[in-house]
Amino acid sequence: MILSAVEVLMMGEPYAPVTWLSVGLPAIASDLSLNGLMALVHAFGVNDAAHQAGRTQQFTRVARTHEWVGILERGSERLRRFEAANRSQLQELAELVSQSLLVRLAKAGSRGADAQVGLHVLEQLFGKTEARRLHSNHIQMELFE
């Protein structure tokens, strides 16, 4: 599924025969850049379990192949669940998704659509107020870097 989407994005074909739904991605992913797609899948798949705190090594070192296989499998499955989820299912899913990686996508998307999708997913999973707070806190922290 993800490989089909990556292939479409790498070919740069705006009207590819593969639709996002046919490869199992939610429609919101259709305007993402390759970097944005991988960031979204990473955010959805990096945590093995609910309420898992992000470990520094998850963000500072390159993941090994077997780790990426797990991230892609979990991320793909959770993205499918996200598309069809109701409010209570979104709350359960929010416990599995990395807030910090979604904030990074919302803030530093390589295209405008990447940032919009990041913020939209944050709002869906964590509520508009929390999404805006996380987003503004992240921007303020950059002032100290």
Side-chain angles (χ1 to χ4, degrees):
M1 164 187 105
I2 294 294
L3 291 178
S4 298
V6 168
E7 181 181 10
V8 168
L9 287 170
M10 289 184 74
M11 298 302 251
E13 299 174 16
Y15 301 105
V18 176
T19 65
W20 293 105
L21 296 176
S22 71
V23 295
L25 287 173
I28 62 164
S30 63
D31 290 330
L32 290 173
S33 67
L34 180 57
N35 288 340
L37 174 64
M38 294 313 295
L40 184 64
V41 173
H42 192 207
F44 270 74
V46 71
N47 294 333
D48 294 327
H51 299 296
Q52 182 177 336
R55 298 178 305 275
T56 303
Q57 66 184 9
Q58 288 175 313
F59 310 114
T60 59
R61 71 169 176 78
V62 176
R64 293 182 175 94
T65 302
H66 74 278
E67 292 169 322
W68 265 111
V69 169
I71 290 169
L72 291 173
E73 287 173 351
R74 288 187 300 273
S76 299
E77 185 269 328
R78 291 172 185 167
L79 277 168
R80 280 193 295 275
R81 286 176 38 203
F82 174 79
E83 183 75 353
N86 62 33
R87 189 70 203 141
S88 65
Q89 292 167 330
L90 284 174
Q91 289 174 341
E92 292 172 16
L93 193 55
E95 298 171 1
L96 298 167
V97 176
S98 169
Q99 279 185 354
S100 60
L101 290 176
L102 284 177
V103 169
R104 187 181 299 170
L105 175 62
K107 188 214 136 289
S110 61
R111 292 181 15 191
D114 292 355
Q116 290 174 358
V117 168
L119 193 56
H120 171 75
V121 173
L122 273 170
E123 290 175 354
Q124 291 295 308
L125 292 176
F126 305 105
K128 285 188 181 199
T129 304
E130 181 68 5
R132 303 234 184 254
R133 184 189 68 76
L134 288 166
H135 191 250
S136 71
N137 285 352
H138 191 288
I139 289 172
Q140 289 175 6
M141 288 302 293
E142 284 191 338
L143 298 174
F144 299 102
E145 292 178 354

